[in-house]
């Protein structure tokens, strides 16, 4: 029982990081119907920002987290303006290939600056609480709580604020939104800022939980988070969160009961089956045909 | 009309889609308080004209609104200048509630108390919208969506409404209803540029009309005078 609870905590930790990254994919898709394949690499940049701020500026946890999020958000907005905006009227495949290119650029740029894996210093004193045979680390609790708080804030922004309303409107029909007096480009920039900022936050938290970082760390995590977004129903914010926690749980459970090398294989197989049963994802709806 | 009354003036407007010329050098004017209608068959360039005015598509020529050149303004700034465009097919956001659809149209506005008053007016004009204010826009019937689209235009507090085929796809009873409402809105002070295929109804309520045929204005005059004019019928059948 304690073992199961322990694994559930691990699953929540991993799942919340996946969910944070998946949100970035789903928000950008929702608003531009484009998969930002550079998003996993922006997550990696978040981890490197965390490293730079913590090691060279000796900042404590909170400013490191906030500045890393801000840095990645700015980078996301710049990437959208320079690389994706000129392609908005181009076929979607051009934008997707560009996104892959931006991802490769980020990987290799980081690699050029930092050829060896880096070690993120412990920004927080990690205390472990033992309850019976159960051990809970404060870091784990922090990662889960912080992710949940960020997701609640995001959900509030999307569902309850004027800007969130504009984002949802753009995801329905981008061509009509300017007629409401809404500056569409600003809302798209804001969406990129929030989505990539959350990816940056995930990078920081990942770096704290698994402190060795390298320029290629975003690839696999990015693919998995993308799958989370698809499983939850791409374009659906709550779906991305659910998808993240599902994948986190599946991975941890597989690693707990099978040899850990089976983890990715079983996880991806389960997700494939889920997609066969629900091709639009858990919360996704079949796209209405527009005439 | 005197210059002071002039609200919208379009001069030498042309719109191209690749090699197709949708609108060919048309000029017309709308005075403050008027209902002006552009009528013509499908493909005559009516919608393109409206889309050019509200900054959705590139064009050549000039569009002047209340003394302001709209040429280099982005679509959202044109809304702020005082033009609300109700697009063809209504453009309701199906994933937003009725109330949110109305709120979104207030994006440029800061006057909270006036917004609340306008919302009250819209609900008074369209009681169905108040009943359904918490429902998603996509759940409304075609007639209700059209009312929401007009309501939304009113919420942007524009001086002028561009209405693109408001009668499209509605039952005859609803068509009469929507035309009655257009006249009511006009009497309450909004200037209206109405694009319609339903020539009879729109000529009936319009102070002036322009008849478009394959991108050109072929006829213009007072609404009542054009009713039953054989040239109007000709324009619809194509020359």
């Amino acid at each position: 029982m304690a073992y199961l609870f322990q694994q559930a905590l691990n699953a929540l930790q991993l799942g919340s990081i996946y969910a944070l990254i998946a949100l970035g994919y789903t928000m950008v898709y929702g608003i531009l119907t484009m998969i930002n394949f550079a998003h996993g690499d922006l997550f990696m940049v978040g981890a490197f920002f965390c490293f730079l701020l913590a090691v060279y500026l000796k900042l404590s946890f909170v400013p490191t987290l906030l500045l890393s999020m801000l840095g990645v958000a700015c980078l996301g907005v710049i990437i959208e303006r320079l690389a994706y905006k000129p392609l908005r009227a181009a076929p979607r495949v051009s934008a997707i290939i560009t996104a892959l290119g931006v991802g490769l650029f980020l990987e290799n740029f980081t690699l050029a600056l930092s050829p060896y894996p880096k070690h993120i210093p412990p920004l927080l004193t990690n205390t472990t609480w033992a309850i019976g045979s159960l051990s809970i680390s404060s870091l784990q609790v922090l990662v889960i709580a912080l992710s949940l708080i960020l997701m609640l804030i995001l959900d509030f922004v999307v569902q309850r604020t004027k800007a969130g309303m504009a984002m949802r409107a753009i995801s329905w029909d981008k061509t009509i939104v300017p007629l409401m007096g809404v500056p569409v480009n600003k809302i798209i920039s804001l969406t990129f800022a929030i989505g990539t900022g959350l990816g940056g936050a995930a990078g920081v938290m990942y770096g704290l939980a698994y402190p060795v970082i390298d320029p290629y760390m975003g690839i696999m995590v990015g693919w998995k988070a993308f799958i989370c977004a698809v499983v939850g129903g791409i374009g659906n914010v709550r779906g991305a969160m659910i998808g993240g926690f599902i994948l986190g749980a599946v991975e941890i459970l597989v690693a707990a009961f099978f040899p850990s090398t089976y983890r990715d294989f079983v996880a991806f197989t389960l997700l494939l089956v889920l997609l066969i049963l629900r091709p639009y994802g858990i919360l996704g709806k079949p796209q209405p045909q527009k005439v | 009309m005197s210059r002071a009354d002039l609200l919208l003036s379009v001069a030498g407007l042309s719109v191209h889609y690749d090699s197709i010329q949708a609108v060919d050098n048309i000029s017309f004017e709308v005075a403050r308080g008027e209902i002006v209608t552009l009528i013509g068959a499908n493909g005559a360039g009516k919608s393109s004209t409206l889309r050019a005015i509200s900054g959705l598509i590139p064009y050549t020529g000039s569009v002047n609104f209340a003394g302001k050149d709209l040429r280099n303004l982005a679509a959202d700034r044109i809304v702020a200048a005082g033009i609300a465009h109700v697009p063809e097919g209504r453009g309701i956001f199906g994933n937003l509630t009725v109330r949110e659809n109305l709120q979104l149209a207030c994006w440029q506005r800061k006057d909270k108390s006036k917004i609340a008053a306008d919302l009250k007016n819209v609900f008074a004009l369209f009681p169905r919208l108040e009943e359904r204010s918490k429902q998603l826009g996509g759940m409304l019937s075609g007639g209700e969506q059209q009312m929401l689209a007009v309501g939304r235009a009113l919420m942007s507090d524009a001086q002028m409404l561009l209405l693109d085929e408001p009668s499209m796809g509605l039952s005859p009873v609803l068509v009469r209803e929507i035309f009655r409402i257009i006249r009511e809105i006009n009497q309450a002070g909004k200037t209206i540029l109405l694009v319609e295929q339903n020539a009879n109804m729109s000529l009936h309520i319009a102070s002036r009309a322009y008849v478009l045929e394959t991108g050109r204005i072929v006829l213009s005059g007072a609404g009542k005078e054009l009713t039953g004019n054989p040239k109007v019928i000709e324009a619809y059948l194509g020359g």
Side-chain angles (χ1 to χ4, degrees):
Chain A
M1 188 62 214
Y3 180 70
L4 258 184
F5 193 77
Q6 188 84 57
Q7 293 305 333
L9 266 181
N10 292 340
L12 274 178
Q13 178 183 0
L14 188 61
S16 51
I17 289 174
Y18 282 148
L20 280 181
I21 308 170
L23 284 169
Y25 282 106
T26 221
M27 287 180 76
V28 167
Y29 182 86
I31 207 156
L32 290 178
T33 51
M34 172 205 150
I35 307 293
N36 178 17
F37 278 121
H39 190 63
D41 299 301
L42 283 159
F43 153 82
M44 173 274 294
V45 172
F48 273 86
F49 275 150
C50 170
F51 169 79
L52 291 176
L53 292 165
V55 170
Y56 294 108
L57 295 182
K58 309 239 180 304
L59 294 180
S60 61
F61 172 68
V62 173
T64 300
L65 175 71
L66 293 179
L67 285 175
S68 300
M69 284 176 75
L70 185 70
V72 177
C74 290
L75 188 59
V77 171
I78 292 167
I79 289 171
E80 194 276 324
R81 279 289 150 111
L82 293 183
Y84 302 157
K85 194 170 170 233
L87 295 173
R88 228 176 262 166
R92 293 294 79 187
V93 70
S94 313
I96 286 171
I97 290 169
T98 305
L100 286 168
V102 170
L104 284 172
F105 170 81
L106 290 176
E107 284 160 26
N108 289 292
F109 186 77
T110 314
L111 187 70
L113 295 182
S114 153
Y116 305 107
K118 291 283 185 287
H119 198 97
I120 291 185
L123 283 172
L124 298 161
T125 44
N126 192 8
T127 45
T128 306
W129 301 296
I131 306 168
S133 58
L134 189 70
S135 68
I136 303 172
S137 83
S138 60
L139 187 65
Q140 202 161 34
V141 173
L142 179 88
V143 168
I144 296 167
L146 208 54
S147 307
L148 287 176
I149 288 167
L150 287 174
M151 284 183 249
L152 284 176
I153 294 174
L154 175 74
D155 203 65
F156 178 83
V157 168
V158 171
Q159 301 298 336
R160 295 269 173 272
T161 66
K162 222 170 128 177
M165 204 156 77
M167 286 175 193
R168 285 181 286 140
I170 291 175
S171 78
W172 183 266
D173 188 345
K174 193 162 58 207
T175 60
I176 305 293
V177 177
L179 296 180
M180 305 293 109
V182 177
V184 173
N185 286 334
K186 277 188 195 152
I187 300 296
I188 290 176
S189 289
L190 180 67
T191 308
F192 262 83
I194 295 176
T196 53
L198 291 175
V204 173
M205 287 188 238
Y206 193 89
L208 291 181
Y210 315 96
V212 180
I213 62 170
D214 71 82
Y216 297 123
M217 66 186 271
I219 300 174
M220 198 56 175
V221 175
W223 280 115
K224 286 182 178 170
F226 168 59
I227 286 164
C228 296
V230 174
V231 163
I234 188 113
N236 186 306
V237 166
R238 289 178 185 170
M241 301 181 197
I242 293 172
F245 286 114
I246 288 178
L247 185 62
V250 169
E251 285 201 353
I252 295 293
L253 285 178
V254 170
F257 295 111
F258 297 100
S260 65
T261 44
Y262 287 17
R263 189 188 62 191
D264 292 352
F265 165 69
V266 176
F268 284 113
T269 309
L270 268 177
L271 297 172
L272 276 176
V273 171
L274 198 75
L275 282 182
I276 291 168
L277 299 176
R278 272 198 74 90
Y280 301 106
I282 292 164
L283 292 187
K285 293 184 188 76
Q287 282 291 310
Q289 281 289 324
K290 277 177 197 154
V291 185
Chain B
M1 83 191 77
S2 73
R3 302 307 295 173
D5 290 340
L6 190 64
L7 189 58
L8 178 80
S9 103
V10 172
L13 179 81
S14 295
V15 175
H16 295 265
Y17 297 109
D18 295 324
S19 61
I20 301 156
Q21 183 137 32
V23 179
D24 186 4
N25 194 22
I26 66 167
S27 302
F28 64 93
E29 291 175 336
V30 181
R32 211 175 289 274
E34 270 190 315
I35 298 181
V36 169
T37 182
L38 301 177
I39 55 175
N42 209 359
K46 310 182 299 289
S47 294
S48 298
T49 305
L50 294 193
R51 290 165 60 77
I53 294 171
S54 54
L56 291 179
I57 49 172
Y59 59 90
T60 56
S62 82
V63 178
N64 216 285
F65 178 76
K68 203 173 193 172
D69 184 9
L70 299 188
R71 169 153 269 303
N72 292 317
L73 286 187
D76 56 281
R77 301 309 305 160
I78 290 175
V79 176
I83 295 182
H85 182 164
V86 178
E88 192 175 0
R90 296 140 200 158
I92 296 306
F93 300 109
N95 60 342
L96 264 57
T97 65
V98 168
R99 187 180 286 273
E100 285 175 328
N101 265 283
L102 293 168
Q103 284 169 341
L104 192 65
C106 306
W107 188 273
Q108 303 272 358
R109 301 179 63 182
K110 302 274 178 284
D111 44 347
K112 281 219 168 95
S113 59
K114 179 85 178 6
I115 290 175
D118 281 354
L119 188 65
K120 230 177 193 169
N121 280 338
V122 168
F123 283 157
L125 199 57
F126 306 110
R128 290 292 282 168
L129 295 185
E130 184 161 26
E131 287 164 30
R132 302 194 153 228
S133 64
K134 289 196 176 68
Q135 286 189 28
L136 292 181
M139 306 299 284
L140 302 185
S141 71
E144 289 164 344
Q145 286 197 353
Q146 189 61 62
M147 301 193 172
L148 178 54
V150 174
R152 227 168 38 174
L154 293 174
M155 291 307 291
S156 73
D157 198 29
Q159 298 178 60
M160 181 171 191
L161 267 54
L162 313 181
L163 305 178
D164 197 346
E165 306 261 7
S167 75
M168 191 171 68
L170 300 185
S171 71
V173 177
L174 280 173
V175 171
R176 273 196 295 279
E177 173 74 2
I178 204 88
F179 275 97
R180 184 187 64 75
I181 288 163
I182 292 169
R183 196 139 57 165
E184 203 174 313
I185 291 168
N186 173 246
Q187 276 157 7
K190 303 283 187 196
T191 306
I192 285 167
L193 178 58
L194 171 67
V195 150
E196 263 297 339
Q197 286 200 58
N198 189 333
N200 277 337
M201 288 296 275
S202 38
L203 287 176
H204 188 67
I205 65 163
S207 21
R208 289 181 311 109
Y210 296 87
V211 182
L212 266 92
E213 193 183 337
T214 56
R216 280 188 296 271
I217 292 175
V218 291
L219 198 63
S220 65
K224 301 255 162 32
E225 284 167 22
L226 291 182
T227 319
N229 186 321
K231 273 191 174 168
V232 174
I233 298 158
E234 211 174 278
Y236 270 80
L237 297 175

